[in-house]
Amino acid sequence: MPGKGAETKNNKEDGETKPKPCCVCLPEKDERDQCILFNGQDSDKCEDVIQKYKTCMKTYGFDI
């Protein structure tokens, strides 16, 4: 049964250590969270900061 252990094993086999998603793009994540907190999740005001966060995450190999 594939699970988190299988994903970790695959990352180690590649010889590449991928950072955890919680540990990257912290300023962008904070800005995104603050915008959503004060403007609501469906607010168009946050589109730019959300996109900036997604772009940052993609640079680390996370496709969200």
Side-chain angles (χ1 to χ4, degrees):
M1 177 188 261
K4 288 187 178 188
E7 292 173 12
T8 303
K9 183 179 177 184
N10 289 339
N11 285 344
K12 289 181 181 177
E13 286 177 359
D14 293 339
E16 209 176 291
T17 56
K18 190 174 180 180
K20 294 180 181 181
C22 63
C23 301
V24 296
C25 303
L26 296 178
E28 291 86 353
K29 182 179 180 181
D30 186 47
E31 185 179 5
R32 178 206 64 179
D33 292 348
Q34 290 293 321
C35 183
I36 291 171
L37 178 67
F38 292 113
N39 296 299
Q41 189 169 358
D42 297 325
S43 175
D44 291 336
K45 294 178 182 179
C46 300
E47 280 300 315
D48 290 339
V49 293
I50 291 171
Q51 191 58 42
K52 191 164 91 172
Y53 175 70
K54 287 181 179 181
T55 301
C56 179
M57 291 297 284
K58 284 183 182 180
T59 63
Y60 289 96
F62 299 105
D63 190 22
I64 57 170

